[in-house]
Amino acid sequence: MMKIKIVVFFAAWITIASNVANAQTMLSLSGKVIGADNKPLDGAAVYLLKGQDSVLVKTALAEASGLYSFRVKPGAYRLSVSMMGYQAYKSGLLQLEQDKVLEPVVLQASGTALKEVSVIAQRPFVQQKIDRTIISPEALISNAGSTALEVLEKAPGVIVDQNGAISLKGKGVTIFIDDKPTYLSGADLESYLRSLTSAAIDQIELMPNPPAKYDAAGNGGVINIRTKKNKVKGFNGSINLNYTQGRYAKTNNSLNFNYRNNRINIFGNLSYNKGNGFSDLDINRHFEDATGAITSNFIQNSFIRRKSDNYFAKIGADYYISDKSTFGINLTGIYNPYSTKTLVTSQFSNAVNQPDSTIIAHNQEHGTFKNGGANINYRHQYDKNGHEFSADLDYLNYYTNNNQLFNNSSYLPDGTLIGNDILTGMLPAHINIYSAKADYDHPLKNGIKLSAGLKSSYTHTDNIADYFYTIAGTMTPDYGKTNHFIYKENINAAYVNATRDYKQLSIQAGLRVENTISNGHQLGNVQRPDSSFKRNYTNLFPTVYLQYKLDTSSRNQLSLNYGRRIERPYYQDLNPFLSPLDKFTYYTGNPFLRPTFTDNFELSHTYKNRFTTTLSYSRSNDDVEETIEIVDGIYYSRPGNIGRYTVKTLSFDATFDPAKWFNFHISGRVSQIHSVSDFYTGLLDTKGTYFFFRPILTFKLGNDWTTQLDGGYQSKITSAQFVLGSRGKVNAAVSKKLSAKTTLKLVVNDIFYTFKNTGVITHLSQTRADWRNLGDTRTGVLSLSYRFGKTISGQRQHDANGAESEQNRVKN
């Protein structure tokens, strides 16, 4: 009954708002591009800019007839037109108050052949929209030679911890690639994002409250990474070569290409990333008696050397059946062989730190991560007003094969060997995902745009763990760790979404319903019996966005949004396997995890699209967090449900231009996290406030030289069972444009080597624990990028409506 009331409330609210607001439909701005000979210029690039600050609003490519058109809100604009072989054109101020057809733009032939088309309006690093924040990685020079994971570390509100876990404004998120969920977590997601280079990323969309079109998964929302896909006709592309030197050398290289001719568009992204790094990890545990006095100490150091070869490929083709219909197919693949060697020294001592014994372990892991995917998509555009239908069929396959070797030797304080044992493990895992979805957009005459869609997905995971002990040359199965776990999940969803723009008010509201059917089967072994579980639940997820312009020039805007989210347990987290990290540290899954439900509220103010402040509040029930339990001195890490998890945040994002040659961007936030739950040691009730800021200073020095300083600082964070230490870093970069197509960049990351992970683990039974982790974060990067290709004129153009990228893209 409560869910029905929520739906009725939203419907009534939108109806009331519609009646009291002054309706203002979108207006049409159109024209034609011709040459001095009065012949139409097919493929001319038309840019619509804001009249006040020349920020890019929309783009279009002229049709074979030279025609172009935009649908935009009333306001002041400027027009910029460019084409290879012609002089660029820029209009005066255009005041749009009704549908307008402009006089033809006449481009004059250039006296010399142009080597390339220059985009007049440069994307800012951060753009704010009603339902998302858009990041342009290329605006930050220090992103050169980076992976997708490293790019995310520099996005406003995003934190990547020492384990590769990603959070947005203090909450876990779901990662999408080109509007499609990755279905990965933990080490697998980290490997995937490290295989994707920054040069292949077009934009990153941060959505704490995603629209109803997106899956409801992710209590902190969605981060959508859009990869590059050039639509300019002809053969175009770029090559990016990067060499990185830290303590160890690594490299990150990529090739992007696009060929479009008549009805065919072929595109691809190939990359190779040589990983080579380390972690220097200290974990200290001090055991206590009932009075709190220390009885013994456990001091452990692990020096971990990681090497990997990441190969990534994405190939696709679009076939333009007509001006309105497009068929596409995309293939993706990742091949990532990796190896890890770890030297672990564990020292035991008594209450007064007198040595008791030492265990030295030489551990090794060798494995392969593979991913293959296929997508078939179709889109039909009924008209130029946004009336369209699209459909996608997807198949994804992930395969990991991890072989482990743990070789432990025990010594007395005088160095006498007292024992040796060897544990080997073979852990193959398969994930198969099948997905189908359809979306339909229908604009109404009264200015309301309706969207609706259906989606169904099926996932099958198969995980095997075979462990063997070798003692005195004899190998025997370790049934305490050996197991076989199968998990199946089917999610069926439907959504409806409505948007409308008034003169000063914009409204968007949606409702998504999702049904989840899942079952898990732990096959067990000769010592452990079979066990299984089944779940079936249906939930509603409403979203509402309001944006109000306080003045007619849109200098001040208020935004309010609300969304409900679900975080289903990751497949790996449901797996009950007991997986050793070393002899005294184990990771185990939790098949009894419940899904997390979160309510998110945000109120923000934007001034001149340059300064945004946001108040946000979220409350989660059964939030899934890492938990640590110590039993008989053994350290067990497992995911667990935290009963109530509340986050309150004040954040800001600002851009300043003190001079034409100087830009200053800064973002930051102050957050309070409060966790309350039943726990291993009784009641867990922790609360803490932290702050974080990230400045970026850009200097344009002339002669195509640009320098940049950026960095960030994070104070101590208290979250559930953990207190994370403060950390920060400073990066510097310089860029030189060697030619119209070639750019050289030099980047130094973490100059002062201050990006170190430290922390304390609380609520342990008669134990104090802390850690420190150093990585290969101080690096120098030399990057060379080269763009190639030329434009072909006289070819037919599909994207003639000039709609925004979300509307005119072919889904992939």
Side-chain angles (χ1 to χ4, degrees), residues 238-255:
S238 63
I239 298 174
N240 297 272
L241 305 175
N242 303 279
Y243 174 80
T244 301
Q245 182 65 58
R247 182 180 298 188
Y248 304 104
K250 61 197 85 172
T251 184
N252 193 336
N253 309 290
S254 67
L255 166 67

Side-chain angles (χ1 to χ4, degrees), residues 420-482:
N420 174 262
D421 60 81
I422 297 175
L423 176 68
T424 57
M426 293 171 285
L427 292 83
H430 297 262
I431 302 177
N432 287 286
I433 300 167
Y434 307 85
S435 175
K437 73 169 186 171
D439 299 286
Y440 178 72
D441 297 330
H442 188 88
L444 303 178
K445 292 183 179 180
N446 59 3
I448 295 178
K449 181 179 179 181
L450 292 176
S451 301
L454 300 170
K455 180 179 178 181
S456 181
S457 65
Y458 173 76
T459 302
H460 183 278
T461 72
D462 191 340
N463 304 270
I464 297 175
D466 289 322
Y467 281 99
F468 300 89
Y469 263 122
T470 302
I471 300 177
T474 302
M475 179 180 289
T476 57
D478 182 355
Y479 292 113
K481 303 178 185 66
T482 294

Side-chain angles (χ1 to χ4, degrees), residues 162 281-286 628 635 714-719 721-727 756-762 764 768-774:
Q162 68 271 14
L281 173 64
D282 290 321
I283 298 178
N284 305 313
R285 306 167 199 171
H286 307 281
I628 304 296
Y635 183 105
Q714 163 207 299
S715 69
K716 182 176 68 175
I717 299 177
T718 300
S719 178
Q721 194 182 1
F722 300 92
V723 180
L724 309 179
S726 60
R727 64 178 185 175
K756 302 175 181 179
N757 296 295
T758 60
V760 174
I761 306 172
T762 65
L764 296 172
R768 303 179 209 166
D770 60 82
W771 82 88
R772 184 216 62 166
N773 192 8
L774 304 180

